[in-house]
Amino acid sequence: MASELEPEVQATERTLLECSAEETAAKWLQATDLTKEVYQHLAHYVPKIYCRGPNPFPQKEDMLAQHVLLGPMEWYLCGEDPALGFPKLEQANKPSHLCGRVFKVGEPTYSCRDCAVDPTCVLCMECFLGSIHKDHRYRMTTSGGGGFCDCGDTEAWKEGPFCQKHELNSAGMEVEEDPLVHLSEDVIARAYNIFAIIFQYAVEILTWEKESELPADLEMIEKSDTYYCMLFNDEVHTYEQVIYTLQKAVNCTQKEAIGFATTVDRDVSNFILIVILGDCQERKRNTSRQTKPLKVQVMHSSIVAHQNFGLKLLSWLGSIIGYSDGLRRILCQVGLQEGPDGENSSLVDRLMRTDSKLWKGARSVYHQLFMSSLLMDLKYKKLFAVRFAKNYQQLQRDFMEDDHERAVSVTALSVQFFTAPTLARMLITEENLMTTIIKTFMDHLKQRDAQGRFQFERYTALQAFKFRRVQSLILDLKYVLISKPTEWSDELRQKFLEGFDAFLELLKCMQGMDPITRQVGQHIEMEPEWEAAFTLQMKLTHVISMMQDWCALDEKVLIEAYKKCLAVLTQCHGGFTDGEQPVTLSICGHSVETIRYCVSQEKVSIHLPISRLLAGLHVLLSKSEVAYKFPELLPLSELSPPMLIEHPLRCLVLCAQVHAGMWRRNGFSLVNQIYYYHNVKCRREMFDKDIVMLQTGVSMMDPNHFLMIMLSRFELYQIFSSPDYGKRLSAEITHKDVVQQNNTLIEEMLYLIIMLVGERYSPGVGQVSAMDEIKREIIHQLSIKPMAHSELVKSLPEDENKETGMESVIEAVAHFRKPGLTGRGMYELKPECAKEFNLYFYHFSRAEQSKAEEAQRKLKRQHREDSALPPPVLPPFCPLFASLVNILQSDVMLYIMGTILRWAVERHGYAWSESMLQRVLHLIGMALQEEKQHLENAVEEHVLTFTFTQKISKPGDAPNNSPSILAMLETLQNAPSLEVHKDMIRWILKTFNTIKKLRESSSTSPVVETEGTIMEESTRDKDKAERKRKAEIARLRREKIMAQMSEMQRHFIDENRELFQQTLELDASASAVLDSSPMVSDTALTALGPAQTQVPEQRQFVTCILCQEEQEVTEESRAMVLAAFIQRSTVLSKNRTKFIQDPEKYDPLFMHPDLSCGTHTGSCGHVMHAHCWQRYFDSVQAKEQRRQQRLRFHTSYDVESGEFLCPLCECLSNTVIPLLLPPRSIFNRRLIFSDQPSLAQWIRTISQQIKALLVLRKEENAATSKNSENRNELELPEGFKPNFHPKNPYSDSIKEMLTTFGTATYKVGLKVHPNEEDPRVPIMCWGSCAYTIQSIGKRIFGSRPCDDCLRSLTRFAAAHWTVASLPVVQGHFCKLFAALVPNDSYEDLPCILDIDMFHLLVGLVLALPALQCQDFSGISLSTGDLHIFHLVTMAHIVQILFTSRPEENGMDQGNPTSEEESAVLSLYRMLQQYTGSPCFAHRFWHQVAFLQCTFVYISLFYTLLFSSPFAVPGTSHFEHLCNYLSLPTNLFGLFQENREIMNSLIESWCHDSEVKRYLRGERDAISYPRGANKLIDLPEDYSSLINQASNFSCPKSGGDKSRAPTLCLVCGSLLCSQSYCCQTELEGEDVGACTAHTYSCGSGAGIFLRVRECQVLFLAGKTKGCFYSPPYLDDYGETDQGLRRGNPLHLCRERFKKIQKLWQQHSVTEEIGHAQEANQTLVGIDWQHL
């Protein structure tokens, strides 16, 4: 169909391009009815441009639309050529002081934590870098898209509202001028006309609901019958569901379906196919057969065309108003002008009210237009805000039914109005916004129980989805309250209190919701629903706090709010005592009436928001001193303290009973509720406020009455009111659980009393500031252990601005310790703050409390102090709460303390616990501290009412005559079983005496009774001194003994010196044997040539890690092997674009100097018998086969690829290397260097032998030997026996392992199936040996060079020819040799520029024995080695001279000797002569890298051990290398020595056609030194990376932003990871962009940085990967994976070097293996899709 349409389409395009925009505009200027003219133009042309064929071309459509449709509008608007008109408008315009940049998805945004009015005030990167905030505490986040930059908005910033760029535009901003003055009357009139028409058109067409007919003005005369089947996006279906449905419904391939799904997800409306109507309906039916069908519409093509153009118009309007503020003002007027239908009929209203019916693309376009127009014009922003508030309820109702996220809903614009303080206040007063929001919220939560409280259904996924939508209303309420008013008008007060009433109604529905009853007998069957209620509570926490903050700002409001809250609470408590028989409680002569209520039997609820709000307001009365200024206005006398405390007390008793294990049968839902009740997210408005409410109640009632009610609620009244209850209880030996429960309840009750008296760090309860409160929190958190910044922040409550206030006080209480290479920075508590530690701090969990106690006691022991943890000195209470301390000296309290102490004294027969005693001692300590404070701060003539010391000194009343508390403490001090508490009791007695003395000094009357205790004090001091003296004597004695012992040891060694010497020598020889290398002095070392250092052979013994058997390594023994891992590598690559097209036909004989892909071998160095390893590997295979039937694959290693984990260290391995003896010692016994040939003679001999071999091969290949004349010509060189085949010296077991490792190298290196007969196997082995040595590079120096892996690899490569076919290896040698010494028999050999010389050297040396074994002329192998090395070195020098850059020309070796100079010049002239090209430099220092690799290789080869090439005194690094390798230090001397042969060789090298092309500049070559590869350079500041990534578009989605931009750290490419759009097919499988990239860039291994997550990703192959700690840290030494905290991040160079080292050492795969073994969750991730 498309092909039929083509000519027709092209003809249409030609006619369209002939239209003139200027003429059309002129016609419009003359028109009487402009609307009609424009509509006719659009009706005619729009369907011709848009939606013409099945494959739309957006670029072409846009080009035609600009020419035919938008062009005339621009001409009309300007009245002249828009290319001239728009710049004029721009020039006349006064630029805005607002930035208004709309954020893209993933763009970095910055908020200043010091200056922003709230966290929604953000800057774009450009404004941020030009502002004062970059030096403040800022937070960096990535935008979800849709918001805009607040630079220039004075209401958003406390200071620094402008960046440098916008500050210039802010001059004269105070005077609000009309932007229309900059436009002429004509332009204003024209703009008004055209804007009104096209805005009206766009709104009309976008909100059009008919599917097959257009509005009357836009109908065409001839109408085609093409329809589109439109698919719309939703947030319900997953990608997979959409893809599957599309494949089924429209019979497309999976690839096409993925393409459609991606577009739909991005744009939310997408036409799938052009079809005739009947077919469309069928398709629609197909896609709607799902449980929740996809939204599909069949629409006429002309409607789709107009809708497309409607969107284009809105974008165009947005760009046009950017030229002039005047145009923006006109568009705003047009948009907000009331239509003919009155209320809600303006164009803006119409768009907003149909928002939920529009598709995603349309919404985002019109939202952007609103942002760039209405929100940038401050006058119209206010009018728009009013329209928004009027429509608020309707918009929210639509949003609840909508199936899109809030980000693309118009309701998300609320943040733009509600957070602007003046707008928010205006909307509260004029539109009663607070009440509207709360009422709307209440309307959506309709389900209530009989008492009118909220009741939630089961929290299913759908419920959670709906509930999340409702919560967005709470967010709006938070926005409205976030900036507090500074001045109150009467109107604001009235409206706020109206809103407060509505809020109380909301809280009333929460008061007592989700009540629970204790399960007795059997476990609860169905866990009750609790999550929704707690989610609601969490969301409202900040709103409740902010309501209180608002109330605190105005005394009148506070008083009114307090009265209202109290009235609602009284309502909720209506029937508080109804129908209940009151009970009378009496202890110690006090009695009180209370209701009969039992927490363990009746209903109880954790949700009491109204009680808690009242508690908060009560504290504010105290803090703002309203309670003392206007007591007559407050209903304080009406308060009923028992009513206030009742519900909070029940809640705390419930927690105690849960802790005592009484509610076990109620399941986990209750445990979770108790957890959240105390959790840092909720406790501020739950647990903390319950404590305050109890403090409020106690401060207003008799403490004795309170304690009795409390005993009754804790169900402990029985125990304490009947004196011998404890005895009776144990006498009856009741159920052990009951005793345990009662003990726990007593402990919890005492803990509660400690909290009521001790928790006064809330401003308003105690005389403290908010800073003191945070300090105390931090001190107690750091008392547990040192903490990282993020841990500390998590443990502190956040306010509505996500601030904890920590930074302002942390310096005062803690030291910061910086992190190392791993780990994080830590805060440690300053020692002087330890005295403020309170063991019973109310925010400690049980576990934290025991950890803190242990840590503090340990510290005290380290400082040699006694281990008592006395209560800290507390700040005084505020007057309103002052009477609280009396609880400590009340009769009932003393009675409780006395009873527990009595139980402890008469320990037998009572059920009590040490925790109980510890709490009582703490309470006594608190009372003593309190009395001491009172005494020290006492004013003259002031009667002290707190007389705790006197009360505890009195014995009990007559009938029992129980001893006084003091006497019991003195008894307990000597109880042997209470060792732990002795220090505390001692501290109490000491403090008691101090107070006695204070009282004596303040009062004249002498006090009796102190004698005994003071005497006791002095004896105790004496005891202490005596203990100290004894400890000192013991220490001195220990030191003396140690000195004597070391003296005796020295004597023994002196006397038996000879014996020790022998032992040491034995040890040294043993270690040398293990090293298999003799110690030779460095100066004497020479590895090659006649002066070669002779090394005595050493025996080598190794132990198998599997069977623990020791064995000597010999050639006849069973094979011993090392676990090894072979991998392809591009770490050294200088060209990552090269690929092996067909591995089966590829010839790897010559390695190109760009080292584009090599084979690296690594090993952990653990040794096994070959047969032990085989058995182990078979068992691993069998286990994996069983696992596949049971579970999914285990992916840390892939058995099918031959992978396994080393049995000892679990290092990833895929083969084994056999351990061998030095190969030259086996094959070459002749090391006599006398009468050995020179280089020229040797080359001649080798050439003759090669020639003979080639002739023989030809003959063998010829079917019949007709060419007998050849045979006659063939004279074999002297001593050469080509028919001789040497005997293989190795055992069968070793031969098998040689073949195994060789085949594995071939298989992995070429990615082919294993084939041990393939002639390329030996080449791959030599290549792996050379590449592995090259990859070690300079790191070898200074480290131990002959590590097991390299040594074994080199020896293996040297021995491998024994198991390969001799003719094959000889053939390789001949071809390699021909690359340097030309031979007519070989064509197509690479030129000297295209050979990596080190690979060539290794290949030649390792293949030489295959030729040498047939040579009996007496030439030794070592001679061959030396000549090969010299020849390759000279070739490399020529290579360097060719490729050195001309600017490096000149002698840079100081003043070289004339001999050196002449050698250089002669070579220089020779090259010029042969090439005719003068541009060479001659730095032979460039050769050092090659020499270093050779140095390592030869050392491993001849098993010489050296310490370091720098070690020889008096010689340079370079000289030492030359001595070691038998080279003259003037390398050019080599050419002089071998002038005759080198001249002809150099000539042949220079005449190669490729060399000539290079010299003519027609091709490139690798220049030297090559330089080690590094990972890319990363920017210092992480935000520049985020910015770079936010500008990155997905390469396959037509400019759409990538969702997971990922940076390759090896080559710097940005990839679109983890998305369907960029999946590609690799080896028949769909893989993500990163996995595909690893194969092209890193031969299967890759290192990436996921920019949005700030996470390093390691990938290896398709199934292996892990996340790694990123190299970016914040100022607190922590990484921020996921960018959750938003602190500025900076590059840590050490950590980046560590990642780089992992990459350079080929350890990425190993790191992944270890990570996957350690963390099984990594196994389940589909790494190939990243």
Side-chain angles (χ1 to χ4, degrees), residues 683-697:
R683 69 177 181 222
R684 186 170 254 184
E685 292 303 331
M686 292 187 90
F687 171 62
D688 293 7
K689 289 292 191 286
D690 283 345
I691 297 288
V692 170
M693 194 45 137
L694 288 186
Q695 288 174 321
T696 304

Side-chain angles (χ1 to χ4, degrees), residues 1516-1531:
S1516 72
H1517 168 70
F1518 182 66
E1519 283 169 14
H1520 187 45
L1521 272 177
C1522 292
N1523 295 340
Y1524 186 83
L1525 298 170
S1526 291
L1527 286 172
T1529 45
N1530 166 18
L1531 293 179

Side-chain angles (χ1 to χ4, degrees), residues 368-558:
Q368 290 234 354
L369 180 64
F370 280 6
M371 283 188 196
S372 54
S373 56
L374 295 162
L375 297 183
M376 290 285 285
D377 188 315
L378 296 179
K379 177 181 170 188
Y380 280 90
K381 183 175 181 178
K382 203 172 272 184
L383 296 172
F384 182 30
V386 171
R387 298 302 322 140
F388 188 84
K390 284 195 187 306
N391 285 307
Y392 187 79
Q393 269 179 300
Q394 178 62 45
L395 295 179
Q396 290 294 349
R397 264 199 295 276
D398 291 347
F399 173 60
M400 296 305 150
E401 303 306 315
D402 190 9
D403 55 7
H404 281 91
E405 297 160 349
R406 181 171 157 92
V408 289
S409 162
V410 73
T411 54
L413 290 179
S414 62
V415 67
Q416 307 298 345
F417 315 120
F418 297 171
T419 53
T422 46
L423 279 182
R425 301 241 217 301
M426 183 231 1
L427 293 174
I428 290 175
T429 49
E430 291 177 20
E431 299 297 328
N432 208 351
L433 182 63
M434 269 177 71
T435 315
T436 309
I437 295 175
I438 297 166
K439 289 267 168 64
T440 313
F441 181 70
M442 300 273 284
D443 288 349
H444 288 293
L445 295 179
K446 294 194 177 68
Q447 281 173 308
R448 310 283 160 90
D449 64 6
Q451 283 77 31
R453 298 178 293 218
F454 289 136
Q455 198 172 20
F456 295 100
E457 296 172 19
R458 296 220 58 78
Y459 205 57
T460 57
L462 185 65
Q463 269 303 102
F465 178 73
K466 282 185 180 165
F467 198 43
R468 268 201 304 277
R469 307 228 133 189
V470 180
Q471 287 161 25
S472 63
L473 289 150
I474 301 178
L475 197 60
D476 283 350
L477 187 55
K478 192 172 151 185
Y479 289 152
V480 172
L481 296 171
I482 209 157
S483 59
K484 324 282 188 299
T486 41
E487 294 167 13
W488 289 78
S489 62
D490 289 344
E491 212 172 6
L492 182 60
R493 282 195 190 95
Q494 181 202 340
K495 294 294 184 192
F496 172 74
L497 287 167
E498 268 182 48
F500 189 76
D501 276 336
F503 190 61
L504 284 173
E505 276 305 306
L506 166 62
L507 297 187
K508 192 174 161 189
C509 296
M510 291 170 65
Q511 179 87 354
M513 66 178 166
D514 282 357
I516 39 182
T517 316
R518 181 173 169 224
Q519 283 290 118
V520 187
Q522 66 178 53
H523 197 283
I524 196 163
E525 283 178 18
M526 185 89 159
E527 292 274 354
E529 171 48 51
W530 65 275
E531 286 175 66
F534 260 93
T535 309
L536 183 56
Q537 172 65 45
M538 269 187 213
K539 295 286 173 193
L540 282 173
T541 295
H542 285 148
V543 176
I544 298 172
S545 302
M546 287 148 87
M547 283 284 190
Q548 294 170 36
D549 294 345
W550 274 58
C551 294
L553 294 170
D554 186 79
E555 295 175 349
K556 290 180 190 167
V557 171
L558 180 58

Side-chain angles (χ1 to χ4, degrees), residues 149 260 297 378 391 407 409 540 546 596 606 708 758 984 1045 1117 1202 1225 1329 1395 1404 1515 1598:
C149 173
F260 286 139
Q297 260 186 328
L378 296 179
N391 285 307
S409 162
L540 282 173
M546 287 148 87
R596 192 189 299 280
I606 284 188
M708 285 189 283
M984 184 65 186
M1045 279 171 68
S1117 60
S1225 61
C1329 176
I1395 301 172
L1404 283 169
T1515 60

Side-chain angles (χ1 to χ4, degrees), residues 707-998:
L707 285 168
M708 285 189 283
I709 293 173
M710 186 167 167
L711 282 170
S712 160
R713 294 291 168 269
F714 270 94
E715 297 167 32
L716 297 169
Y717 178 69
Q718 230 21 62
I719 295 181
F720 285 97
S721 61
S722 46
D724 288 327
Y725 183 82
K727 231 177 199 146
R728 264 208 330 276
L729 205 86
S730 42
E732 293 163 12
I733 307 184
T734 30
H735 198 277
K736 196 171 165 207
D737 265 10
V738 176
V739 176
Q740 187 57 52
Q741 275 170 12
N742 282 337
N743 280 353
T744 308
L745 288 175
I746 294 172
E747 287 163 19
E748 290 296 307
M749 184 189 73
L750 293 169
Y751 189 13
L752 181 55
I753 298 169
I754 293 173
M755 289 193 282
L756 293 181
V757 182
E759 295 309 326
R760 27 180 118 167
Y761 274 86
S762 304
V765 177
Q767 295 174 24
V768 291
S769 67
M771 290 283 195
D772 299 329
E773 189 178 3
I774 299 162
K775 258 189 208 171
R776 181 164 180 256
E777 287 280 351
I778 294 173
I779 288 170
H780 283 87
Q781 287 301 331
L782 294 179
S783 300
I784 306 169
K785 59 172 188 188
M787 282 186 173
H789 181 269
S790 57
E791 278 180 290
L792 207 43
V793 168
K794 267 186 204 154
S795 64
L796 299 173
E798 289 183 339
D799 65 8
E800 64 276 11
N801 291 333
K802 296 191 176 161
E803 290 295 333
T804 56
M806 177 183 124
E807 276 93 347
S808 52
V809 297
I810 188 78
E811 296 297 326
V813 296
H815 297 293
F816 183 65
R817 194 178 71 233
K818 287 192 166 163
L821 251 186
T822 53
R824 331 184 260 183
M826 289 290 187
Y827 280 110
E828 290 172 344
L829 189 64
K830 288 186 177 174
E832 63 267 26
C833 296
K835 65 175 188 297
E836 294 180 46
F837 173 71
N838 175 5
L839 178 57
Y840 294 101
F841 176 60
Y842 71 147
H843 289 156
F844 276 157
S845 66
R846 303 278 173 306
E848 285 170 343
Q849 188 183 17
S850 61
K851 278 185 198 162
E853 180 175 7
E854 198 178 314
Q856 292 308 307
R857 286 196 196 281
K858 191 175 169 188
L859 266 177
K860 291 212 162 199
R861 283 197 296 274
Q862 279 170 3
H863 296 146
R864 302 263 171 93
E865 297 171 16
D866 62 21
S867 62
L869 294 171
V873 175
L874 296 171
F877 275 115
C878 291
L880 199 57
F881 291 93
S883 58
L884 254 173
V885 292
N886 291 329
I887 198 170
L888 291 173
Q889 57 167 0
S890 62
D891 297 345
V892 178
M893 186 72 241
L894 291 164
Y895 171 70
I896 293 172
M897 287 178 184
T899 308
I900 293 170
L901 287 172
R902 199 173 78 244
W903 292 347
V905 171
E906 307 167 17
R907 17 202 329 264
H908 305 293
Y910 285 99
W912 66 283
S913 68
E914 284 201 18
S915 302
M916 219 182 274
L917 175 65
Q918 196 179 358
R919 284 164 168 73
V920 167
L921 294 176
H922 194 86
L923 278 163
I924 295 171
M926 287 173 80
L928 292 173
Q929 289 278 37
E930 201 63 45
E931 186 166 347
K932 192 172 160 195
Q933 290 289 93
H934 279 225
L935 280 167
E936 284 168 355
N937 304 332
V939 192
E940 286 296 316
E941 314 299 306
H942 190 74
V943 182
L944 278 177
T945 50
F946 199 80
T947 54
F948 183 71
T949 45
Q950 290 169 6
K951 291 184 178 177
I952 62 169
S953 314
K954 280 187 203 147
D957 294 336
N960 303 335
N961 281 339
S962 57
S964 69
I965 289 179
L966 192 64
M968 287 195 278
L969 285 173
E970 291 182 343
T971 313
L972 287 173
Q973 189 185 359
N974 304 317
S977 57
L978 298 175
E979 197 57 50
V980 195
H981 306 298
K982 266 191 185 158
D983 281 343
M984 184 65 186
I985 298 174
R986 200 176 300 132
W987 178 86
I988 287 174
L989 295 171
K990 192 174 169 187
T991 313
F992 179 84
N993 285 322
T994 314
I995 292 171
K996 273 279 156 59
K997 284 179 190 165
L998 271 172

